[in-house]
Structure formats: C-alpha cells, structure tokens
Amino acid sequence: MAAIRSKLPVEAPLTMTALSSWCTGDAWFNSFPVAEAVPMVFHMGADSEKIRKFLRNGNDWSEPLCRGSYGLLVGDTSEIKLVSGRRIYYFKDSAWVAGDLEKLRRSETR
C-alpha cells in the first residue's frame, strides 16, 4: 500500500477493500496509508453469520478506517442494519452491463 500511495498525487485518496472480519477487531491494517477501508459485507465465508448478527444488532465496526462505507453485493437481500450517512460501494459477481445502474437506482427507491 505504501508503494501505491507513493505513486499517487497527495490529494488523491487511496481506498482499499477489507474483509468484514478485519473491521471487527482484526485491525492489522490500521497503519496503512489509506483514507478508507471498505468492509465487504458479502461472501464472508465462515464469519458470515457472525458478522451479519453483529450488524443486525446495531453494532459498528471497531476499526475507524471501516466506518465510512459499506461494500454490498448487488441483489443480496440479507438483513443487516447499516449506519446511515455512509457511502455504499456496490459489487457484482458478474460483469456490469448496460442498465445495471438504473436497476440499482430503482431498487434503492423502494
């Protein structure tokens, strides 16, 4: 991350994705030169139910770098409680195609 950061203009923020488990106490990356770590709240493997329960109960990430956003999977209907006012980054298991963004916008307004 330091090598990437060194190649970017000072004013350009560097953001990384992070496993959700990293954001609940496994903060080995908190010294990275990044502006934000986006917790991926999907494909969580063995920690999936533990993290989903953690979020459903209204808990927040313990790692400050993770408190600005969520990474969500398009079409995932899992019930989790998101803190309002945070950026949402959407990921897909397949390539984005024309019309995906409009479908996403429509689903958010329901």
Side-chain angles (χ1 to χ4, degrees):
M1 295 305 279
I4 294 169
R5 174 77 261 164
S6 71
K7 294 179 185 340
L8 293 173
V10 173
E11 66 277 3
L14 177 58
T15 299
M16 64 180 260
T17 56
L19 297 179
S20 293
S21 62
W22 298 352
C23 297
T24 60
D26 187 14
W28 58 271
F29 61 95
N30 59 6
S31 64
F32 281 13
V34 298
E36 173 178 40
V38 180
M40 298 182 300
V41 188
F42 59 94
H43 298 320
M44 295 181 283
D47 289 328
S48 183
E49 188 49 39
K50 178 180 155 190
I51 300 287
R52 290 184 191 287
K53 183 177 180 181
F54 176 85
L55 294 173
R56 278 193 306 266
N57 289 336
N59 294 301
D60 200 0
W61 309 119
S62 56
E63 171 54 52
L65 284 173
C66 298
R67 291 189 189 145
S69 61
Y70 295 96
L72 303 178
L73 185 66
V74 171
D76 185 353
T77 58
S78 300
E79 293 292 323
I80 57 172
K81 187 175 182 178
L82 303 178
V83 175
S84 65
R86 295 193 179 169
R87 284 176 298 286
I88 304 293
Y89 293 90
Y90 289 100
F91 296 82
K92 274 188 74 179
D93 282 334
S94 59
W96 289 88
V97 296
D100 279 348
L101 187 56
E102 186 55 38
K103 287 178 192 173
L104 188 56
R105 285 185 183 133
R106 283 195 306 266
S107 72
E108 285 184 333
T109 59
R110 292 181 209 175

